[in-house]
Amino acid sequence: MRNARYLSMLLCMLFSCTGRAQQSKNKPDMHNPHYSRTDTTHLNVSNAEWKKILPADLYAVAREQATERAFTGKYWDADTRGTYYCAVCGNKLFRSDAKFASSCGWPSFFEADRPNSVIYKEDNTYGMQRIEVECARCNSHLGHIFDDGPPPTGKRFCMNSVSLDFEPDNH
């Protein structure tokens, strides 16, 4: 299990150094007609449409399953209390009280905010067997889930910062 985690981190770092997923100064985009923090209706938007709306770095990760470089995302070591949303559509994903320091270089959570806020897909790319985590509202790639997290779930949702928007508590 430890070797698989190491290999996963190594491959993510290797393949993300292409510059396809540089860190964005991403904020909720008022020009994105699909972004809503209250609407949970599933979206069926083509990648061609998303490409017109999203910043290039977010598009690369969310729609092309790229990975930002480890230790470069704005949330990997953040400890401010608040809520994490999908940067593509605004779907509520994680609370900061489920975030933990995993030292993997990406923001890590032990559970999603709601059971139906994310979906899981088999991912056998790069010669690995992993489980991809997508936003349940817009089917954007968020990261992967592993079985090496802390109690109470034992899960580690290893997410890309660029795929997340954050709103601090008492905002």
Side-chain angles (χ1 to χ4, degrees), residues 64-147:
E64 296 179 333
Q65 291 74 29
T67 302
E68 66 191 1
R69 288 189 310 259
F71 306 103
T72 64
K74 60 185 170 182
Y75 303 126
W76 81 269
D77 65 346
D79 60 3
T80 305
R81 296 190 56 77
T83 304
Y84 292 86
Y85 298 87
C86 175
V88 173
C89 73
N91 189 30
K92 187 176 180 184
L93 300 172
F94 302 99
R95 290 280 307 147
S96 60
D97 55 5
K99 191 172 186 293
F100 67 98
S102 69
S103 70
C104 69
W106 293 275
S108 297
F109 304 86
F110 61 78
E111 67 183 353
D113 183 65
R114 301 178 324 266
N116 60 347
S117 63
V118 296
I119 57 175
Y120 308 96
K121 293 189 172 177
E122 190 174 306
D123 177 1
N124 294 314
T125 59
Y126 305 118
M128 294 182 283
Q129 292 182 326
R130 301 179 291 173
I131 303 297
E132 177 185 7
V133 179
E134 288 186 353
C135 172
R137 182 166 184 249
C138 68
N139 295 100
S140 288
H141 174 75
L142 301 169
H144 292 87
I145 186 170
F146 301 96
D147 290 324

Coordinates of all heavy atoms in Angstrom, one line a residue, residues 64-147:
E64 N -9.8 17.5 -18.3 CA -8.8 16.6 -19.0 C -8.0 15.8 -18.0 O -7.1 15.1 -18.3 CB -7.8 17.5 -19.8 CG -8.5 18.2 -20.9 CD -7.5 19.0 -21.8 OE1 -6.5 19.5 -21.2 OE2 -7.8 19.3 -23.0
Q65 N -8.4 15.8 -16.7 CA -7.8 15.0 -15.7 C -6.3 15.2 -15.5 O -5.6 14.3 -15.1 CB -8.1 13.4 -15.9 CG -9.5 13.0 -15.7 CD -10.4 13.4 -16.9 OE1 -10.0 13.5 -18.0 NE2 -11.7 13.7 -16.6
A66 N -5.9 16.4 -15.7 CA -4.5 16.8 -15.4 C -4.4 16.8 -13.8 O -5.4 16.7 -13.1 CB -4.1 18.1 -16.0
T67 N -3.2 17.0 -13.4 CA -2.9 17.1 -11.9 C -2.0 18.3 -11.7 O -1.0 18.4 -12.4 CB -2.3 15.8 -11.4 OG1 -3.1 14.7 -11.6 CG2 -2.0 15.9 -9.9
E68 N -2.3 19.1 -10.7 CA -1.4 20.2 -10.4 C -0.2 19.6 -9.7 O -0.3 18.6 -9.1 CB -2.1 21.3 -9.5 CG -2.5 20.8 -8.2 CD -3.4 21.8 -7.4 OE1 -3.8 22.8 -8.0 OE2 -3.8 21.5 -6.3
R69 N 0.9 20.3 -9.7 CA 2.2 19.9 -9.1 C 2.0 19.8 -7.6 O 1.3 20.7 -7.0 CB 3.3 20.8 -9.4 CG 3.8 20.6 -10.8 CD 5.1 21.4 -11.1 NE 5.1 22.7 -10.6 CZ 4.9 23.8 -11.4 NH1 4.7 23.6 -12.7 NH2 4.9 25.0 -10.9
A70 N 2.5 18.8 -7.0 CA 2.4 18.7 -5.5 C 3.1 19.9 -4.8 O 4.0 20.5 -5.3 CB 3.2 17.5 -5.0
F71 N 2.5 20.3 -3.7 CA 3.0 21.4 -2.9 C 2.9 22.8 -3.6 O 3.5 23.8 -3.1 CB 4.4 21.2 -2.4 CG 4.5 19.9 -1.7 CD1 5.1 18.8 -2.3 CD2 4.1 19.7 -0.4 CE1 5.3 17.6 -1.7 CE2 4.2 18.5 0.2 CZ 4.8 17.4 -0.4
T72 N 2.1 22.9 -4.6 CA 1.9 24.2 -5.3 C 0.5 24.8 -5.2 O 0.4 26.0 -5.4 CB 2.3 24.1 -6.8 OG1 1.3 23.3 -7.5 CG2 3.7 23.6 -7.0
G73 N -0.4 24.0 -4.9 CA -1.8 24.5 -4.8 C -2.0 25.3 -3.6 O -1.4 25.1 -2.5
K74 N -3.0 26.3 -3.7 CA -3.2 27.2 -2.6 C -3.8 26.6 -1.4 O -3.8 27.2 -0.3 CB -4.0 28.4 -3.1 CG -5.3 28.1 -3.6 CD -6.0 29.3 -4.2 CE -7.3 29.0 -4.9 NZ -7.9 30.2 -5.5
Y75 N -4.4 25.4 -1.4 CA -5.0 24.8 -0.3 C -4.3 23.6 0.3 O -4.8 23.0 1.3 CB -6.5 24.4 -0.6 CG -7.3 25.5 -1.2 CD1 -8.0 25.4 -2.4 CD2 -7.5 26.7 -0.4 CE1 -8.7 26.5 -2.9 CE2 -8.2 27.8 -0.9 CZ -8.9 27.6 -2.1 OH -9.6 28.7 -2.6
W76 N -3.2 23.2 -0.2 CA -2.6 21.9 0.2 C -2.3 22.0 1.7 O -2.4 21.0 2.4 CB -1.4 21.5 -0.6 CG -0.1 22.3 -0.2 CD1 0.4 23.4 -0.8 CD2 0.9 21.9 0.7 NE1 1.5 23.8 -0.2 CE2 1.9 22.8 0.7 CE3 1.0 20.8 1.6 CZ2 3.0 22.7 1.5 CZ3 2.1 20.7 2.4 CH2 3.1 21.7 2.4
D77 N -1.9 23.1 2.3 CA -1.5 23.2 3.7 C -2.4 24.3 4.4 O -2.1 24.7 5.5 CB -0.1 23.5 3.9 CG 0.4 24.9 3.4 OD1 -0.4 25.5 2.6 OD2 1.5 25.3 3.7
A78 N -3.5 24.7 3.8 CA -4.4 25.7 4.4 C -5.1 25.1 5.6 O -5.5 23.9 5.6 CB -5.4 26.2 3.4
D79 N -5.3 25.9 6.7 CA -6.0 25.4 7.9 C -7.1 26.3 8.3 O -7.6 26.2 9.4 CB -5.0 25.1 9.0 CG -4.3 26.3 9.4 OD1 -4.5 27.4 8.9 OD2 -3.4 26.2 10.3
T80 N -7.5 27.2 7.4 CA -8.7 28.1 7.7 C -10.0 27.3 7.7 O -10.2 26.5 6.9 CB -8.7 29.2 6.7 OG1 -7.5 29.9 6.6 CG2 -9.8 30.3 7.0
R81 N -10.8 27.6 8.7 CA -12.1 26.9 8.8 C -13.1 27.5 7.7 O -13.1 28.7 7.5 CB -12.7 27.1 10.2 CG -11.8 26.4 11.2 CD -12.5 26.3 12.6 NE -13.7 25.7 12.6 CZ -13.9 24.3 12.6 NH1 -12.9 23.5 12.4 NH2 -15.1 23.8 12.6
G82 N -13.8 26.6 7.1 CA -14.7 27.0 6.1 C -15.2 25.8 5.2 O -15.1 24.7 5.6
T83 N -15.7 26.2 4.0 CA -16.3 25.2 3.1 C -15.6 25.2 1.7 O -15.3 26.3 1.2 CB -17.8 25.5 2.9 OG1 -18.4 25.5 4.2 CG2 -18.5 24.5 2.1
Y84 N -15.4 24.1 1.2 CA -14.8 23.9 -0.1 C -15.9 23.5 -1.1 O -16.7 22.6 -0.9 CB -13.7 22.8 -0.1 CG -12.5 23.2 0.7 CD1 -12.4 23.0 2.0 CD2 -11.4 23.8 0.0 CE1 -11.3 23.3 2.8 CE2 -10.3 24.2 0.8 CZ -10.2 23.9 2.1 OH -9.1 24.3 2.9
Y85 N -15.9 24.2 -2.3 CA -16.8 24.1 -3.3 C -16.1 23.7 -4.6 O -14.9 24.0 -4.8 CB -17.6 25.4 -3.6 CG -18.4 25.8 -2.4 CD1 -17.8 26.7 -1.5 CD2 -19.8 25.5 -2.3 CE1 -18.6 27.1 -0.4 CE2 -20.5 25.9 -1.2 CZ -19.9 26.8 -0.2 OH -20.6 27.2 0.9
C86 N -16.9 23.1 -5.6 CA -16.3 22.8 -6.9 C -16.1 24.1 -7.6 O -17.0 25.0 -7.7 CB -17.3 21.9 -7.7 SG -16.8 21.6 -9.4
A87 N -14.8 24.3 -8.1 CA -14.5 25.5 -8.8 C -15.2 25.7 -10.1 O -15.2 26.7 -10.7 CB -13.0 25.6 -8.9
V88 N -15.7 24.6 -10.7 CA -16.3 24.6 -12.0 C -17.8 25.0 -11.8 O -18.3 25.8 -12.6 CB -16.2 23.2 -12.7 CG1 -17.0 23.2 -13.9 CG2 -14.7 22.9 -12.9
C89 N -18.5 24.4 -10.9 CA -19.9 24.6 -10.8 C -20.5 25.1 -9.5 O -21.7 25.4 -9.4 CB -20.7 23.3 -11.2 SG -20.6 22.0 -9.9
G90 N -19.7 25.1 -8.4 CA -20.1 25.7 -7.2 C -20.7 24.6 -6.2 O -21.2 25.0 -5.1
N91 N -20.7 23.4 -6.6 CA -21.3 22.3 -5.8 C -20.5 22.2 -4.4 O -19.3 22.2 -4.4 CB -21.2 21.0 -6.5 CG -21.9 19.8 -5.8 OD1 -22.9 20.0 -5.1 ND2 -21.4 18.6 -6.0
K92 N -21.2 22.1 -3.3 CA -20.6 22.0 -2.0 C -19.9 20.6 -1.9 O -20.6 19.6 -2.1 CB -21.6 22.2 -0.9 CG -21.0 22.3 0.5 CD -22.1 22.6 1.5 CE -21.6 22.6 2.9 NZ -22.7 22.8 3.9
L93 N -18.6 20.6 -1.6 CA -17.9 19.3 -1.6 C -17.3 18.9 -0.2 O -17.5 17.7 0.2 CB -16.7 19.4 -2.5 CG -17.0 19.7 -4.0 CD1 -15.8 20.0 -4.8 CD2 -17.8 18.5 -4.6
F94 N -16.6 19.8 0.5 CA -15.9 19.4 1.7 C -16.0 20.5 2.8 O -16.0 21.7 2.4 CB -14.4 19.1 1.5 CG -14.2 18.0 0.4 CD1 -13.9 18.3 -0.9 CD2 -14.2 16.7 0.8 CE1 -13.6 17.3 -1.8 CE2 -14.0 15.7 -0.1 CZ -13.7 16.0 -1.4
R95 N -15.9 20.1 4.0 CA -15.8 21.1 5.1 C -14.3 21.0 5.6 O -13.7 20.0 5.6 CB -16.8 20.8 6.3 CG -18.2 21.0 5.9 CD -18.6 22.4 6.1 NE -18.2 23.0 7.4 CZ -17.9 24.2 7.6 NH1 -17.9 25.1 6.6 NH2 -17.5 24.6 8.8
S96 N -13.8 22.1 6.1 CA -12.5 22.1 6.6 C -12.3 21.2 7.8 O -11.1 20.8 8.1 CB -12.1 23.6 7.0 OG -12.9 24.1 8.0
D97 N -13.3 20.9 8.6 CA -13.1 20.0 9.7 C -12.9 18.6 9.3 O -12.6 17.7 10.1 CB -14.3 20.1 10.7 CG -15.7 19.9 10.2 OD1 -15.8 19.6 9.0 OD2 -16.6 20.1 10.9
A98 N -13.0 18.3 8.0 CA -12.7 16.9 7.5 C -11.3 17.0 6.8 O -10.9 16.0 6.2 CB -13.8 16.5 6.5
K99 N -10.7 18.1 6.8 CA -9.4 18.3 6.1 C -8.3 17.8 7.1 O -8.4 18.1 8.3 CB -9.1 19.7 5.7 CG -7.9 19.9 4.8 CD -7.9 21.4 4.3 CE -6.8 21.6 3.3 NZ -5.5 21.5 3.8
F100 N -7.2 17.2 6.6 CA -6.1 16.8 7.5 C -4.8 17.0 6.8 O -4.8 17.0 5.5 CB -6.3 15.4 8.0 CG -6.2 14.3 6.9 CD1 -5.0 13.6 6.7 CD2 -7.3 14.0 6.2 CE1 -5.0 12.6 5.7 CE2 -7.3 13.0 5.2 CZ -6.1 12.3 5.0
A101 N -3.7 17.1 7.5 CA -2.4 17.2 7.0 C -1.9 15.8 6.6 O -1.5 15.1 7.4 CB -1.5 17.9 8.0
S102 N -1.9 15.5 5.3 CA -1.4 14.2 4.8 C 0.0 14.2 4.4 O 0.6 13.2 4.1 CB -2.3 13.7 3.7 OG -2.1 14.5 2.6
S103 N 0.6 15.4 4.2 CA 1.9 15.6 3.7 C 2.2 15.1 2.3 O 3.3 14.9 1.9 CB 3.0 15.1 4.7 OG 3.0 13.6 4.7
C104 N 1.1 14.9 1.5 CA 1.2 14.4 0.2 C 1.4 15.5 -0.8 O 1.7 15.3 -2.0 CB 0.1 13.5 -0.2 SG -1.5 14.3 -0.4
G105 N 1.1 16.8 -0.4 CA 1.3 17.9 -1.3 C 0.0 18.4 -1.9 O 0.0 19.4 -2.7
W106 N -1.1 17.7 -1.6 CA -2.4 18.2 -2.1 C -3.4 18.2 -0.9 O -3.2 17.5 0.1 CB -3.0 17.2 -3.2 CG -2.2 17.2 -4.4 CD1 -2.4 18.0 -5.5 CD2 -1.2 16.3 -4.8 NE1 -1.5 17.7 -6.5 CE2 -0.7 16.6 -6.1 CE3 -0.5 15.2 -4.2 CZ2 0.3 15.9 -6.7 CZ3 0.5 14.5 -4.8 CH2 0.9 14.9 -6.1
P107 N -4.4 19.1 -1.0 CA -5.4 19.1 0.1 C -6.0 17.7 0.2 O -6.4 17.1 -0.7 CB -6.4 20.1 -0.4 CG -6.0 20.6 -1.7 CD -4.8 20.0 -2.1
S108 N -6.1 17.3 1.5 CA -6.7 15.9 1.8 C -7.8 16.0 2.8 O -7.7 16.8 3.8 CB -5.6 15.0 2.3 OG -4.6 14.8 1.4
F109 N -8.8 15.3 2.5 CA -10.0 15.2 3.4 C -10.4 13.8 3.7 O -10.1 12.9 2.9 CB -11.2 15.9 2.7 CG -11.0 17.3 2.2 CD1 -10.3 17.5 1.0 CD2 -11.3 18.4 3.0 CE1 -10.1 18.8 0.5 CE2 -11.1 19.7 2.5 CZ -10.4 19.9 1.3
F110 N -11.0 13.5 4.9 CA -11.3 12.1 5.2 C -12.8 11.8 4.8 O -13.2 10.6 4.8 CB -11.0 11.7 6.6 CG -11.8 12.5 7.7 CD1 -13.1 12.3 8.0 CD2 -11.1 13.5 8.4 CE1 -13.7 13.0 9.0 CE2 -11.7 14.3 9.3 CZ -13.0 14.0 9.6
E111 N -13.6 12.8 4.4 CA -14.9 12.6 4.0 C -15.5 13.8 3.2 O -15.0 14.9 3.4 CB -15.9 12.2 5.1 CG -16.1 13.4 6.1 CD -17.0 13.0 7.2 OE1 -17.5 11.9 7.3 OE2 -17.2 13.8 8.1
A112 N -16.4 13.5 2.3 CA -17.1 14.6 1.6 C -18.2 15.1 2.5 O -18.6 14.5 3.4 CB -17.7 14.0 0.3
D113 N -18.6 16.4 2.2 CA -19.6 17.0 3.0 C -20.9 16.3 3.0 O -21.6 16.1 4.0 CB -19.8 18.4 2.5 CG -20.8 19.2 3.4 OD1 -20.5 19.4 4.5 OD2 -21.9 19.5 2.9
R114 N -21.3 15.8 1.8 CA -22.6 15.0 1.6 C -22.2 13.8 0.8 O -21.4 13.8 -0.1 CB -23.6 15.8 0.9 CG -24.0 17.1 1.5 CD -25.1 17.9 0.7 NE -24.9 17.8 -0.8 CZ -24.2 18.7 -1.5 NH1 -23.7 19.7 -0.9 NH2 -24.1 18.5 -2.8
P115 N -22.8 12.6 1.1 CA -22.5 11.4 0.4 C -22.7 11.5 -1.1 O -22.0 10.9 -1.9 CB -23.5 10.4 1.0 CG -23.9 10.9 2.3 CD -23.8 12.4 2.2
N116 N -23.7 12.4 -1.5 CA -24.0 12.5 -3.0 C -23.3 13.7 -3.6 O -23.7 14.1 -4.7 CB -25.5 12.5 -3.2 CG -26.2 13.7 -2.5 OD1 -25.6 14.3 -1.6 ND2 -27.4 13.9 -2.8
S117 N -22.4 14.3 -3.0 CA -21.7 15.5 -3.6 C -20.6 15.1 -4.5 O -20.2 15.9 -5.4 CB -21.2 16.5 -2.5 OG -20.2 15.8 -1.7
V118 N -20.1 13.9 -4.4 CA -19.1 13.4 -5.3 C -19.5 12.0 -5.8 O -20.3 11.3 -5.2 CB -17.7 13.3 -4.6 CG1 -17.2 14.7 -4.2 CG2 -17.7 12.4 -3.4
I119 N -18.8 11.6 -6.9 CA -19.0 10.3 -7.5 C -17.6 9.7 -7.7 O -16.6 10.4 -7.8 CB -19.8 10.3 -8.8 CG1 -19.2 11.2 -9.9 CG2 -21.3 10.7 -8.5 CD1 -19.9 11.1 -11.2
Y120 N -17.6 8.4 -7.9 CA -16.3 7.7 -8.0 C -16.3 6.9 -9.3 O -17.3 6.3 -9.7 CB -16.2 6.7 -6.8 CG -16.4 7.4 -5.5 CD1 -17.6 7.4 -4.8 CD2 -15.4 8.1 -4.9 CE1 -17.8 8.0 -3.6 CE2 -15.5 8.7 -3.7 CZ -16.8 8.7 -3.0 OH -17.0 9.3 -1.9
K121 N -15.1 6.9 -9.9 CA -14.9 6.1 -11.2 C -13.6 5.4 -11.1 O -12.6 6.0 -10.6 CB -14.9 7.1 -12.4 CG -16.3 7.7 -12.6 CD -16.3 8.5 -13.9 CE -17.7 8.9 -14.2 NZ -17.8 9.7 -15.4
E122 N -13.6 4.3 -11.7 CA -12.3 3.5 -11.8 C -11.4 4.2 -12.7 O -11.8 4.8 -13.7 CB -12.6 2.1 -12.4 CG -11.5 1.2 -12.3 CD -11.9 -0.2 -12.8 OE1 -12.9 -0.8 -12.2 OE2 -11.2 -0.8 -13.7
D123 N -10.1 4.3 -12.3 CA -9.1 5.0 -13.1 C -7.9 4.1 -13.2 O -7.2 3.9 -12.2 CB -8.7 6.3 -12.4 CG -7.6 7.1 -13.2 OD1 -7.1 6.6 -14.2 OD2 -7.2 8.2 -12.7
N124 N -7.6 3.6 -14.4 CA -6.5 2.7 -14.6 C -5.4 3.3 -15.4 O -4.6 2.6 -16.0 CB -6.9 1.3 -15.2 CG -7.9 0.6 -14.3 OD1 -7.6 0.4 -13.1 ND2 -9.0 0.1 -14.8
T125 N -5.3 4.6 -15.4 CA -4.3 5.3 -16.2 C -2.9 5.2 -15.5 O -2.8 4.9 -14.3 CB -4.6 6.8 -16.3 OG1 -4.7 7.4 -15.0 CG2 -5.9 7.0 -17.1
Y126 N -1.9 5.4 -16.3 CA -0.5 5.3 -15.9 C -0.1 4.0 -15.2 O 0.8 4.0 -14.3 CB -0.2 6.5 -15.0 CG -0.5 7.8 -15.6 CD1 -1.4 8.7 -15.0 CD2 0.1 8.3 -16.8 CE1 -1.8 9.9 -15.6 CE2 -0.2 9.5 -17.3 CZ -1.2 10.3 -16.7 OH -1.5 11.5 -17.3
G127 N -0.8 2.9 -15.5 CA -0.4 1.6 -15.0 C -0.8 1.4 -13.5 O -0.3 0.5 -12.9
M128 N -1.7 2.3 -13.0 CA -2.1 2.2 -11.6 C -3.6 1.9 -11.6 O -4.4 2.2 -12.5 CB -1.9 3.5 -10.9 CG -0.4 3.8 -10.7 SD -0.2 5.4 -9.8 CE -0.6 6.6 -11.1
Q129 N -4.1 1.3 -10.5 CA -5.5 1.1 -10.2 C -5.9 2.1 -9.1 O -5.4 1.9 -8.0 CB -5.8 -0.3 -9.8 CG -5.6 -1.3 -10.9 CD -5.9 -2.7 -10.5 OE1 -5.7 -3.1 -9.3 NE2 -6.5 -3.5 -11.4
R130 N -6.6 3.1 -9.5 CA -7.0 4.1 -8.5 C -8.5 4.4 -8.7 O -9.1 4.0 -9.7 CB -6.3 5.4 -8.8 CG -4.8 5.3 -8.7 CD -4.1 6.6 -8.9 NE -4.2 7.0 -10.3 CZ -3.8 8.2 -10.8 NH1 -3.3 9.1 -10.0 NH2 -4.0 8.5 -12.1
I131 N -9.1 5.1 -7.7 CA -10.5 5.6 -7.8 C -10.5 7.1 -8.0 O -10.0 7.8 -7.1 CB -11.3 5.2 -6.6 CG1 -11.2 3.7 -6.3 CG2 -12.7 5.7 -6.7 CD1 -11.8 2.8 -7.5
E132 N -11.0 7.5 -9.1 CA -11.1 9.0 -9.4 C -12.3 9.5 -8.7 O -13.4 8.9 -8.5 CB -11.3 9.2 -10.9 CG -11.5 10.6 -11.3 CD -11.7 10.8 -12.8 OE1 -11.9 9.8 -13.5 OE2 -11.8 12.0 -13.2
V133 N -12.2 10.8 -8.2 CA -13.3 11.5 -7.5 C -13.7 12.6 -8.5 O -12.9 13.4 -8.9 CB -12.9 12.0 -6.2 CG1 -14.1 12.8 -5.5 CG2 -12.4 10.9 -5.2
E134 N -15.0 12.6 -8.8 CA -15.6 13.7 -9.6 C -16.7 14.4 -8.9 O -17.3 13.9 -8.0 CB -16.2 13.1 -10.9 CG -15.2 12.6 -11.9 CD -15.9 12.2 -13.2 OE1 -17.2 12.2 -13.3 OE2 -15.2 11.9 -14.2
C135 N -16.9 15.7 -9.2 CA -18.0 16.4 -8.7 C -19.3 15.8 -9.3 O -19.4 15.5 -10.5 CB -18.0 17.9 -9.2 SG -19.4 18.8 -8.8
A136 N -20.3 15.5 -8.4 CA -21.5 14.8 -8.8 C -22.4 15.7 -9.6 O -23.2 15.3 -10.4 CB -22.2 14.3 -7.6
R137 N -22.2 17.0 -9.5 CA -23.1 18.0 -10.3 C -22.6 18.2 -11.7 O -23.4 18.2 -12.6 CB -23.1 19.3 -9.6 CG -24.1 20.3 -10.3 CD -24.4 21.5 -9.4 NE -25.3 22.3 -10.1 CZ -25.1 23.5 -10.6 NH1 -23.9 24.1 -10.4 NH2 -26.0 24.2 -11.3
C138 N -21.3 18.3 -11.9 CA -20.8 18.7 -13.3 C -19.8 17.6 -13.8 O -19.3 17.8 -14.9 CB -20.1 20.0 -13.2 SG -18.6 20.1 -12.3
N139 N -19.5 16.6 -13.1 CA -18.6 15.5 -13.5 C -17.2 16.0 -13.8 O -16.5 15.5 -14.7 CB -19.1 14.8 -14.8 CG -20.4 14.0 -14.4 OD1 -21.5 14.5 -14.7 ND2 -20.3 12.9 -13.8
S140 N -16.8 17.0 -13.1 CA -15.4 17.5 -13.2 C -14.5 16.7 -12.3 O -14.8 16.3 -11.2 CB -15.3 19.0 -12.8 OG -15.9 19.8 -13.9
H141 N -13.3 16.5 -12.8 CA -12.2 15.7 -12.1 C -11.8 16.6 -10.9 O -11.4 17.8 -11.0 CB -11.0 15.4 -13.0 CG -9.9 14.8 -12.3 ND1 -9.8 13.5 -11.9 CD2 -8.7 15.4 -11.9 CE1 -8.7 13.2 -11.3 NE2 -7.9 14.4 -11.4
L142 N -11.8 16.0 -9.7 CA -11.3 16.7 -8.5 C -10.0 16.1 -8.0 O -9.1 16.8 -7.5 CB -12.4 16.5 -7.4 CG -13.7 17.1 -7.7 CD1 -14.7 16.7 -6.6 CD2 -13.7 18.6 -7.8
G143 N -9.8 14.8 -8.1 CA -8.6 14.1 -7.6 C -8.9 12.6 -7.5 O -9.7 12.0 -8.3
H144 N -8.3 12.0 -6.5 CA -8.5 10.5 -6.3 C -8.7 10.3 -4.8 O -8.4 11.1 -3.9 CB -7.2 9.8 -6.7 CG -7.1 9.8 -8.2 ND1 -6.4 10.9 -8.9 CD2 -7.5 9.0 -9.2 CE1 -6.4 10.6 -10.2 NE2 -7.1 9.5 -10.4
I145 N -9.2 9.1 -4.5 CA -9.5 8.7 -3.1 C -8.6 7.4 -2.8 O -8.5 6.5 -3.7 CB -11.0 8.4 -2.8 CG1 -11.2 8.1 -1.3 CG2 -11.5 7.3 -3.7 CD1 -12.7 8.1 -0.9
F146 N -8.0 7.4 -1.6 CA -7.2 6.3 -1.2 C -7.6 5.8 0.1 O -8.3 6.5 0.9 CB -5.7 6.8 -1.2 CG -5.2 7.3 -2.5 CD1 -5.2 8.7 -2.8 CD2 -4.7 6.5 -3.5 CE1 -4.8 9.2 -4.0 CE2 -4.3 6.9 -4.7 CZ -4.3 8.3 -4.9
D147 N -7.2 4.6 0.5 CA -7.5 3.9 1.7 C -6.5 4.1 2.8 O -6.3 3.2 3.6 CB -7.8 2.4 1.5 CG -9.1 2.2 0.7 OD1 -10.0 2.9 0.9 OD2 -9.0 1.2 -0.1

